[in-house]
Amino acid sequence: MVILLGFSRSRKDGAGRSTGWRLALALLLLAPLSWPAPARAEVEPGDLTLTVTPELNGGANPYAREMVLLRIHGVYRQPILLEEVIQPPLANFTWTQLGRDHWSKTRLPDGQTAIAFDRTVAVFPHHAGDFTLEPFIHRLTINDVGARKVVDVRSAPVPITVAPWTAPTGGPDAPEPWWLPARDVSIADSWSQDPETVKIGETVRRTVVLEAQGVVAEGLPPRPVMRTRGIITFAGPVTRETIITPSGPVARATYVWDVRPGVPEVIPLDAIAIPWFDTVSRTQREAEIPARQIGGGLPDRETGGGGTAVRSSLLAAAAGTMAFGLGLALLGFRRDRTSLRLPKAQRRALRDAARAHDPAGFRAAVSEGERANPELGRRWRQEPATAAALASLDRAVYAKDGGDAPDLAALARVLARSRPAPVAASAGRLKPLDGPA
């Protein structure tokens, strides 16, 4: 309408005809600017975000060589064509990525959907001090209004304080004992045959598997040296491996010895204690390679009459022992004076948590039981089936994505059973297992 009016005025006024044409042309050129513009998918603040969150054990500052998990999380509203994560140098830290990157869809508080990116990196500080991790950069190629555009999404710097060790003994810088910060440590001890049946000159193989959660293979202690009078040992190679799980690395070391008795008498092998720092409870604990005995079992069945006489003596002694034990039971002696068993309160807590299908409460009851009876807790870790069930429980409670919990009722019954108490070793018998790494 404006164009027509301008043109009609130019016809009535001959002198202003050229002016009217210029006005009409200008209006024709400016008209598209007044039309509604199409919606644009330009990048706006908040469309692309990247955060790095350190996960501290128990919320406490870590010690040197203790694992810290970095949870890297990105939320992107724009369609992504290509991507690349540029990691900072991470000076003063050793690091390892836990598994592959995870991409998913997520719903934002305003109801819109976006793309979520997740990566987990485990870092291990070299020494105490205050450090700042430089920003991680996620370089994205996005579709911006039909055009390819490269955008660098930066995280904020992450401050990390690594605490100094203040206890009078141990710690990351002490040469002895080996510093082993872990969420959990378990030991499995196996022999190629019962060591009590091994005779002089024969060889038996001992295999010890040490497993620690929250540690890489290089952080496990060196192989202990079995050195005691009366045996000859041949140490085999040490096998180390790191298993990556969503909750962190699990380190496993396998130590092997070939053991040959050199004397006819019974040879006791004392237990080997492996100290470690519990990063969950923030306390010093000990795992143990159990004590064993070489020799002293039943003699060979192929011996003559002398062997028969010895077997008869042993059977008679066994019958007498059983009779004596029965007599003690009839006299009212309690079994728990010579056995390890959870207190009644812990047994009830395990049963209640199992009945409620509460893995977290069950794990808390297990920890309370281990604190109440550390020796019994070590026995649990030495039983392969029990140790596997407890490891499954830990994954269900502590893993990021959770996991299937074991049969809590069955596990409660296993943990509530009594175990024989360790026999106190007499002083000055034989030298303990010792020696340098």
Side-chain angles (χ1 to χ4, degrees), residues 136-384:
F136 284 72
I137 301 174
H138 206 172
R139 181 161 294 167
L140 305 176
T141 302
I142 64 174
N143 184 359
D144 185 25
V145 198
R148 295 164 67 94
K149 183 177 182 180
V150 178
V151 180
D152 283 347
V153 186
R154 295 174 177 268
S155 67
V158 178
I160 294 182
T161 298
V162 182
W165 183 260
T166 57
T169 58
D173 300 324
E176 293 281 340
W178 183 269
W179 171 246
L180 180 58
R183 289 180 176 175
D184 193 20
V185 173
S186 62
I187 291 178
D189 181 36
S190 61
W191 296 72
S192 59
Q193 70 180 80
D194 188 348
E196 295 186 11
T197 64
V198 179
K199 306 178 188 63
I200 184 171
E202 295 181 344
T203 300
V204 62
R205 172 160 292 187
R206 184 182 201 182
T207 304
V208 172
V209 179
L210 173 65
E211 191 171 282
Q213 299 181 15
V215 183
V216 293
E218 294 75 11
L220 293 177
R223 178 189 53 236
V225 177
M226 289 199 299
R227 182 184 302 156
T228 190
R229 181 177 61 83
I231 64 170
I232 302 173
T233 60
F234 304 91
V238 177
T239 303
R240 298 173 182 268
E241 59 179 328
T242 302
I243 304 167
I244 301 301
T245 72
S247 59
V250 176
R252 181 182 296 158
T254 303
Y255 311 123
V256 177
W257 299 267
D258 288 332
V259 182
R260 180 184 301 170
V263 294
E265 63 262 23
V266 175
I267 304 170
L269 298 179
D270 292 336
I272 303 176
I274 298 181
W276 61 285
F277 178 74
D278 189 335
T279 59
V280 177
S281 63
R282 317 301 294 174
T283 57
Q284 282 287 116
R285 300 179 61 182
E286 279 190 353
E288 185 179 87
I289 301 176
R292 293 304 300 266
Q293 172 182 303
I294 297 179
L298 293 176
D300 196 339
R301 293 174 180 263
E302 296 179 0
T303 56
T308 303
V310 172
R311 285 195 295 272
S312 300
S313 300
L314 291 173
L315 291 174
T321 302
M322 292 177 61
F324 180 73
L326 179 60
L328 291 180
L330 293 175
L331 289 174
F333 279 77
R334 295 180 59 188
R335 181 179 62 179
D336 59 1
R337 293 184 180 179
T338 58
S339 63
L340 300 172
R341 195 176 187 187
L342 278 177
K344 186 176 181 180
Q346 272 75 51
R347 297 200 303 271
R348 184 186 304 110
L350 289 174
R351 290 195 301 270
D352 293 344
R355 191 178 300 111
H357 303 288
D358 180 12
F362 195 95
R363 186 63 181 86
V366 171
S367 299
E368 186 64 29
E370 290 175 328
R371 283 192 291 269
N373 197 328
E375 177 61 29
L376 183 57
R378 284 192 288 269
R379 294 294 181 88
W380 293 341
R381 304 297 176 178
Q382 293 165 10
E383 300 170 0

